[in-house]
Amino acid sequence: MFARNITKELEQWAAKKNRKPLILRGARQVGKTTLVDSFSHQFENYLYVNFEKTPTAIVMFEKEQEIADLMAEIFLFCNKEKKQGKTLLFIDEIQLSKAAVTKLRYFYEAKIADLYVIAAGSLLETMLNKNISFPVGRVEYMAVCRFNY
């Protein structure tokens, strides 16, 4: 795996005291998932949820529940036992769930210090034309392209 300049940007995002959930934007096959998988080695817990590969995961995000309860359900869904330390939650192909996009704001508002949330989707721009409310001011965006080296 080669070092990418964007990895440094991810590290700067993670070091922020008032960190917001991060939405990675970029075309298909530019390396968003590979980038986050590589970045995940800096965390004690890594939870990967891909709505395209496991659409049943969307149901978890559609429920009305506290973020702590949702996180417990995600650990169970990913078949992972929670370890002490930092947790990275990566929601891939998030554009497949309006509810999950909206729920990003609650991850920010919950202010869980050891929880880092990254979402990605190659078709996020298509959602801007649909009736969806992006959590403005409660998420950050980062563009990923094959030239971010």
Side-chain angles (χ1 to χ4, degrees):
M1 179 75 184
F2 46 89
R4 299 179 75 165
N5 290 334
I6 198 159
T7 302
K8 290 183 178 119
E9 292 181 45
L10 282 177
E11 290 168 349
Q12 290 171 348
W13 164 78
K16 290 180 183 178
K17 186 177 182 180
N18 223 2
R19 175 187 61 259
K20 299 175 183 176
L22 180 65
I23 297 177
L24 297 180
R25 298 167 73 173
R28 287 197 170 281
Q29 303 298 315
V30 296
K32 296 181 297 292
T33 301
T34 302
L35 172 68
V36 176
D37 284 342
S38 175
F39 182 62
S40 73
H41 297 292
Q42 301 179 27
F43 297 83
E44 288 75 27
N45 301 289
Y46 176 47
L47 303 168
Y48 176 63
V49 179
N50 184 318
F51 289 158
E52 188 173 70
K53 291 181 181 175
T54 54
T56 55
I58 294 171
V59 174
M60 293 185 295
F61 290 83
E62 293 175 340
K63 295 178 185 175
E64 284 291 324
Q65 60 183 331
E66 298 293 323
I67 291 300
D69 295 332
L70 174 59
M71 286 305 300
E73 192 170 350
I74 294 170
F75 268 97
L76 187 63
F77 180 84
C78 293
N79 199 25
K80 300 270 180 126
E81 187 174 324
K82 185 171 180 4
K83 301 174 194 166
Q84 288 288 355
K86 300 186 300 183
T87 297
L88 174 61
L89 169 60
F90 179 35
I91 308 165
D92 208 354
E93 302 300 344
I94 195 168
Q95 78 277 358
L96 296 174
S97 171
K98 290 180 185 181
V101 171
T102 302
K103 187 117 355 186
L104 289 175
R105 75 173 290 166
Y106 300 109
F107 283 107
Y108 172 66
E109 291 171 356
K111 304 262 190 229
I112 302 171
D114 286 341
L115 178 61
Y116 300 71
V117 179
I118 298 177
S122 52
L123 301 172
L124 282 169
E125 280 70 24
T126 62
M127 291 186 79
L128 295 174
N129 297 329
K130 296 182 180 174
N131 242 353
I132 183 145
S133 174
F134 273 83
V136 177
R138 292 186 173 67
V139 295
E140 295 181 45
Y141 297 91
M142 187 180 297
V144 178
C145 66
R146 62 182 185 170
F147 302 112
N148 291 56
Y149 302 109

